[in-house]
Amino acid sequence: MDIPLSAVWPGAPYPIGAIWDGEGVNFALFSEHAHKVELCIFDRQGRRETQRIELPERTGQIWHGYLPEARPGLLYGYRVHGPYAPLHGHRFNPHKLLLDPYAHDIVGAIRWSDAHFGYRVGGRYGDLRIDRRDDAAGMPRCRVVDPAFTWGDDRPPRTPWHETVICELHVKGFTIGHPDIPPPLRGTYAGLVTAPVIAHLQALGITAVELMPVHTAVDDRHLVSRGLANYWGYNSIGYFSPDARYSATGSIKEFKSMVKVLHSAGIEVILDVVYNHTAEGSQLGPTLCFRGIDNAAYYRLSPEDPRYYRDYTGCGNTLNLQHPHVLQLIMDSLRYWVEDMHIDGFRFDLASALARELHEVDRLSAFFDIIHQDPVLSQVKLIAEPWDLGEGGYQVGNFPFGWAEWNDRYRDAVRAYWKGDGGLIGEFAYRVTGSSDLYASSGRRPHASINFVTAHDGFTLEDLVSYDAKHNEANGEDNRDGSDRNLSWNCGVEGPTADPAVLVLRARQKRNLMATLLLSQGVPMLVAGDILGSSQGGNNNAYCQDNATSWIDWQLDPPRRNFLAFVGHLLRLRKRHPGFRRRRFFEGRPLKGSGVKDILWMNPDGSEMSDEAWQESYARCLGMFLAASGLDERDRRGRRVRDDNLLVLFNAHHETLPFQLPDWENSRVWELLLDTASGEVGQGRTCPGGQPFPLVGRSMALFRLARPAPDQWVAQ
């Protein structure tokens, strides 16, 4: 039997949220325009409201009260009273149970009905007429938590940017099909840190996992009605609570344990966060949290007609970071994940939307200012998706110092080059050397570029070489969703095939794309499924496919096992050769005391490329020489970083081309470290300088300048 709470004290306006202090629970909620706030208490099963308490105090714009008899585990929600006046931007509706924006734990899922909408769905007045049905029966509950956790000697790995290798993954999709994870743990935070998963990540050399959204999210009603789900999770409603769908135990301590184990394995945890919009959608969306607490404060409304939202995200609304309490919400959330959950960094979805002041994206916005001066947030990894859907939203290269960016110009250049498009070698060269044209002028380093060929949205690597067009019919939108610009090539056959020649070419193209990624300057980001050869059947927008389309199949056939091994070899090459992960940009000028440049671009005949050669539309083959003496860097202890002279050859032409190897040191030979034509890695083959190397069509090769072994001077 649930005994009513008899004591209600004034409490304090800060910290915001429901905070257990060891003696009771303080409740504090921001609402600038509300007339009254009621706290709803539920029984232990969350089925029945047992008590409704009006918060007794208001300090500024914070409503608060303290319950000395409340304990962790208490289930609650809010009802907020105020005007329902959409034409003036207000959508208060006390008939709707609301989630606490600061809830640290949210339990249960929405059971959709028309009652979740603040207006009468289908009514003649649209969203202008209030709906008085109670929706509590179908709403999740907030739960008070005890934050205590034994972190022990947990320390963030703090991997330097230039040594970072990111693996983007979905907690459920990555683990749900792993045969060596105990079945009850598959698809969960706990499953992500089982021994076979940790061993897989460590064997590859992954230094950071970038988790797709794990903030509590909502499955859209229109998807649920079609038997689908918002699988990716870019539909947040709780910015402080780990999504319970990925929990085996139902406790937030499971998430903390996951972070601790990953740290013990030397792996950082980066969260993909969605602070640009919420799951409440447009003016016709549901009332679940922010809209009912203070719509006019939380959202960017149209100044001309505040009934409507400014939508820079394509999701119906945009959070209003111009309001100090909304900005505080985001900063408090970020600090919570760093200080309480020990997260190592964030990737900000549609980050340009966060930097908009009145309308334009402003790199001097309050959002950036607050992060840069914050002693906690300024020290973690910050990654921007540097665009949104609004005018002027594309901001690649324009984020301030201290930020890294998803570099889609890298993605497009590498895809187009290996697809065989002409006139790209100049763009390609900029991208594989760290995109100095985008980042150097602002004082940023190569690690400002997060390099990727694929990501969660778009084709998988397997599909990139298997499909010319998207095949998104399963999403139920008549194949209209998803991008039509994929820069993909199916190698002659659309989709699955048994043609040996096509399969050989596809495997080579995958090796080309992956080798380019891992031998480029900047920070590589791999997709977990790509490493294992996953396909989505040509679906380039599988956001709603919580099924085998998106889940990783860990039952690897020989080609997929071979590719996994190839990726592992590449990552070890990258780690072994600091020349591929420089901290500074190349200068392209002769080094002091030497006629050798730190980087030299070469034609197939062995000569240095001229300015005219860069402009040739037919050019698809080039060489990149990295001089060991040009690596003027020091390690953490101040010791000189050393590497070999390295030569990378690229040939996106369809025919084999003889590439003249440099003959600069007669006592040296070129040792072949990598050949994507055969998949050969580190076999010790050597070639003398001054001789042509047969660079197979659509392949690349990596050499190092080495001393020949006795009696070994044989051209292959």
Side-chain angles (χ1 to χ4, degrees), residues 165-215:
V165 177
I166 299 173
C167 179
E168 186 192 36
L169 62 86
H170 188 284
V171 171
K172 181 177 181 179
F174 188 61
T175 61
I176 191 71
H178 199 302
D180 297 329
I181 296 177
L185 302 184
R186 294 175 187 171
T188 69
Y189 306 120
L192 185 58
V193 290
T194 51
V197 176
I198 293 294
H200 169 76
L201 296 172
Q202 287 183 315
L204 285 168
I206 300 300
T207 71
V209 290
E210 183 175 302
L211 305 184
M212 290 177 65
V214 294
H215 288 165

Side-chain angles (χ1 to χ4, degrees), residues 30-35 58 61 80-94 96 98 117-119 126-131 280 282-287 289-302 305-309 320 323:
F30 158 75
S31 183
E32 179 179 356
H33 300 101
H35 298 162
R58 177 176 181 174
Q61 298 167 351
V80 181
H81 298 251
Y84 187 85
L87 295 177
H88 299 285
H90 300 305
R91 296 178 180 269
F92 294 99
N93 190 335
K96 312 303 173 184
L98 304 174
F117 297 78
Y119 62 94
D127 61 307
L128 297 178
R129 185 68 60 86
I130 192 170
D131 181 271
E280 291 184 305
S282 71
Q283 76 279 1
L284 299 179
T287 297
C289 179
F290 310 94
R291 175 172 285 137
I293 293 172
D294 200 328
N295 183 70
Y298 274 113
Y299 292 116
R300 298 200 66 164
L301 306 180
S302 169
D305 188 349
R307 174 186 180 184
Y308 300 103
Y309 297 84
N320 181 21
H323 195 291

Side-chain angles (χ1 to χ4, degrees), residues 90 148 192 561 597 670:
H90 300 305
L192 185 58
R561 281 199 299 272
K597 298 180 179 180
W670 290 101

Side-chain angles (χ1 to χ4, degrees), residues 651-708:
N651 182 16
H653 186 56
H654 64 277
E655 295 180 329
T656 298
L657 295 175
F659 206 109
Q660 194 82 359
L661 299 177
D663 186 17
W664 294 327
E665 298 184 39
N666 292 331
S667 62
R668 300 293 183 99
V669 295
W670 290 101
E671 179 185 352
L672 183 64
L673 301 179
L674 168 72
D675 183 0
T676 63
S678 63
E680 180 180 328
V681 179
Q683 297 301 313
R685 291 174 54 195
T686 58
C687 306
Q691 298 294 319
F693 174 79
L695 188 59
V696 174
R698 297 193 177 97
S699 77
M700 59 183 286
L702 167 65
F703 296 87
R704 76 177 185 97
L705 196 59
R707 295 186 182 278

Side-chain angles (χ1 to χ4, degrees), residues 406-600:
W406 270 29
N407 188 349
D408 69 331
R409 287 185 61 177
Y410 179 95
R411 176 199 65 197
D412 292 353
V414 171
R415 285 187 179 191
Y417 173 77
W418 285 115
K419 177 172 170 279
D421 293 353
L424 286 171
I425 58 173
E427 175 76 2
F428 180 77
Y430 266 124
R431 301 308 144 232
V432 299
T433 54
S435 297
S436 60
D437 57 327
L438 298 178
Y439 305 114
S441 62
S442 60
R444 298 159 80 187
R445 300 284 183 87
H447 66 245
S449 178
I450 303 297
N451 299 331
F452 65 104
V453 175
T454 61
H456 63 272
D457 53 344
F459 279 147
T460 66
L461 186 62
E462 181 71 27
D463 291 351
L464 191 65
V465 301
S466 303
Y467 294 90
D468 279 353
K470 65 185 182 184
H471 297 269
N472 298 355
E473 290 80 6
N475 296 353
E477 299 177 43
D478 297 323
N479 206 33
R480 295 188 304 271
D481 62 307
S483 175
D484 292 313
R485 184 176 182 269
N486 297 293
L487 296 173
S488 61
W489 179 46
N490 64 18
C491 298
V493 177
E494 186 75 354
T497 182
D499 187 319
V502 173
L503 293 176
V504 167
L505 180 54
R506 287 178 177 177
R508 187 188 307 162
Q509 287 288 78
K510 285 175 58 179
R511 292 193 293 267
N512 290 334
L513 291 161
M514 187 61 75
T516 303
L517 174 64
L518 294 179
L519 300 183
S520 294
Q521 305 297 325
V523 179
M525 185 186 77
L526 301 85
V527 178
D530 287 346
I531 300 170
L532 298 164
S534 293
S535 169
Q536 294 177 172
N539 192 326
N540 74 350
N541 189 37
Y543 78 102
C544 55
Q545 300 297 326
D546 188 4
N547 50 47
T549 299
S550 300
W551 300 343
I552 293 176
D553 178 9
W554 288 85
Q555 303 294 337
L556 305 185
D557 57 18
R560 293 172 67 199
R561 281 199 299 272
N562 291 340
F563 188 68
L564 172 61
F566 178 78
V567 174
H569 286 308
L570 281 173
L571 283 163
R572 287 188 286 277
L573 271 175
R574 180 181 178 87
K575 185 174 183 179
R576 192 178 306 132
H577 292 285
F580 292 122
R581 40 187 176 83
R582 294 168 55 101
R583 285 179 287 179
R584 294 176 176 83
F585 289 110
F586 294 104
E587 296 184 9
R589 295 194 297 267
L591 303 171
K592 292 181 180 179
S594 168
V596 178
K597 298 180 179 180
D598 57 357
I599 185 169
L600 182 69

Side-chain angles (χ1 to χ4, degrees), residues 211-224:
L211 305 184
M212 290 177 65
V214 294
H215 288 165
T216 297
V218 172
D219 288 326
D220 313 69
R221 189 183 190 186
H222 71 275
L223 292 177
V224 173

Side-chain angles (χ1 to χ4, degrees), residues 151-157 256 259-264 341-342:
W151 283 105
D153 60 353
D154 178 70
R155 294 289 186 275
K256 295 181 178 181
V259 174
K260 184 177 179 182
V261 173
L262 286 167
H263 283 178
S264 295
M341 308 296 252
H342 289 206

